[in-house]
Amino acid sequence: RRKKLTIFFSDIKGFTEITDTLESEVLSNLLNNYLDEMAQIALRYGGTIDKFIGDAVMVFFGDPQTNGEKADAIACVRMAIEMREKMIDLRMKWRNEGIASPLHIRCGVNTGFCTVGNFGCENRMDYTIVGGQVNLASRLESRALMDQILISHETYALIKDEIYCEPQDDIFVKGIHYAIRAYQVVDTYEALQSASMEFVREMKGFNLAINFKEVERETALLQLREAINHLSNKGDVEKSMPGLFKTLITPEASKKTIN
């Protein structure tokens, strides 16, 4: 039957490249760990997991149960945001297990009418969706950058009151003869309002997260100052002159340094 759905695609950017560097057992464990975490998030938001294709995930909202077009679209994009955030934890976990290459996801979301039902042959039937709107969601995912969630204008119109998005240049994709108006999902409005109370940065070999509401400021300043000295190759000064180091990182001196 024909039904208006919100369709989600994601994959791991750079996954193909690491398959040549990891043993099959390690690769299998990593992939199963990733798919299990993504599936749990999808089910928690009420999504229907259509299929896994290697490292790719396909989920849709609106069938067999629906909370309405708008609610389905919002749930889908919220799911995508949580998946993106979960990858931060997974990257740290995998890095600790010896997987040096950072892995990031990219996502595409579109809303439109699809044909949903059972497709296949006499011996094997799959409950899935087909149609041009499915292809568009897949094309958006393929055009997304690392850790980017690209959505169509149709999806944006349904979620714009709850989720902040930034317009992107119109894109042209294979198989679609017209320009696609796309938007990049930034975050929910409630998360952005509380973001001023948090500071999070992540890069290779560097992870920093500060909650300004809960942090013990003097202890945090001591830790930050110690890290700065190590990064500046001043770790030996700390070991050989502990008294001087403690003087340098008094709260007053730390405030001057931070300012």
Side-chain angles (χ1 to χ4, degrees):
R1 59 186 179 278
R2 295 278 290 172
K3 200 168 185 181
K4 194 170 187 179
L5 308 174
T6 296
I7 311 107
F8 166 90
F9 279 88
S10 74
D11 73 351
I12 300 177
K13 187 170 177 60
F15 184 79
T16 304
E17 287 74 7
I18 71 166
T19 57
D20 296 330
T21 63
L22 297 178
E23 296 293 338
S24 59
E25 294 83 359
V26 176
L27 187 64
S28 297
N29 289 335
L30 182 150
L31 184 58
N32 285 331
N33 179 208
Y34 165 74
L35 294 177
D36 180 64
E37 293 288 354
M38 298 302 107
Q40 289 184 41
I41 295 172
L43 293 174
R44 188 158 62 249
Y45 280 89
T48 299
I49 301 173
D50 188 301
K51 59 176 67 73
F52 301 130
I53 311 168
D55 62 304
V57 178
M58 178 181 173
V59 182
F60 60 86
F61 288 73
D63 197 82
Q65 296 180 342
T66 178
N67 293 315
E69 297 173 5
K70 183 172 183 176
D72 290 341
I74 291 172
C76 182
V77 176
R78 283 181 175 270
M79 175 197 73
I81 293 172
E82 184 168 334
M83 287 180 173
R84 182 177 62 185
E85 293 174 349
K86 186 63 180 180
M87 283 299 291
I88 298 175
D89 297 332
L90 290 177
R91 279 197 295 274
M92 294 178 65
K93 176 178 181 291
W94 293 332
R95 190 178 295 120
N96 292 334
E97 293 175 354
I99 301 173
S101 301
L103 298 176
H104 300 261
I105 63 170
R106 55 184 180 180
C107 309
V109 179
N110 178 43
T111 302
F113 281 95
C114 310
T115 301
V116 56
N118 294 313
F119 297 86
C121 63
E122 183 178 351
N123 296 322
R124 180 182 175 88
M125 300 291 287
D126 284 332
Y127 168 61
T128 187
I129 56 177
V130 296
Q133 300 300 324
V134 181
N135 295 335
L136 176 52
S138 177
R139 295 291 187 266
L140 286 169
E141 178 264 324
S142 66
R143 293 294 298 270
L145 302 176
M146 183 172 63
D147 291 331
Q148 190 177 51
I149 304 170
L150 281 186
I151 66 173
S152 66
H153 181 75
E154 288 74 12
T155 302
Y156 170 75
L158 294 169
I159 70 166
K160 61 183 180 180
D161 294 334
E162 293 197 23
I163 299 171
Y164 176 67
C165 304
E166 294 179 345
Q168 304 292 292
D169 293 336
D170 289 352
I171 61 176
F172 292 88
V173 297
K174 183 178 180 180
I176 299 177
H177 62 276
Y178 55 87
I180 305 301
R181 182 176 297 178
Y183 299 80
Q184 175 185 347
V185 173
V186 178
D187 211 335
T188 61
Y189 283 112
E190 62 262 34
L192 291 173
Q193 288 173 357
S194 62
S196 60
M197 298 305 296
E198 296 181 354
F199 183 87
V200 180
R201 293 292 185 273
E202 179 189 11
M203 57 186 293
K204 184 177 181 180
F206 180 92
N207 293 283
L208 176 63
I210 303 174
N211 185 319
F212 293 110
K213 283 185 177 180
E214 301 177 0
V215 70
E216 295 181 4
R217 293 179 179 268
E218 289 190 6
T219 302
L221 286 170
L222 293 177
Q223 298 294 330
L224 289 170
R225 182 60 181 169
E226 183 177 352
I228 290 170
N229 273 272
H230 278 291
L231 287 172
S232 303
N233 295 321
K234 295 180 181 178
D236 292 337
V237 175
E238 175 192 352
K239 294 177 182 178
S240 61
M241 303 178 69
L244 174 60
F245 185 74
K246 289 181 180 178
T247 301
L248 289 174
I249 55 176
T250 58
E252 292 75 13
S254 298
K255 290 176 182 177
K256 293 179 181 178
T257 304
I258 298 298
N259 290 335

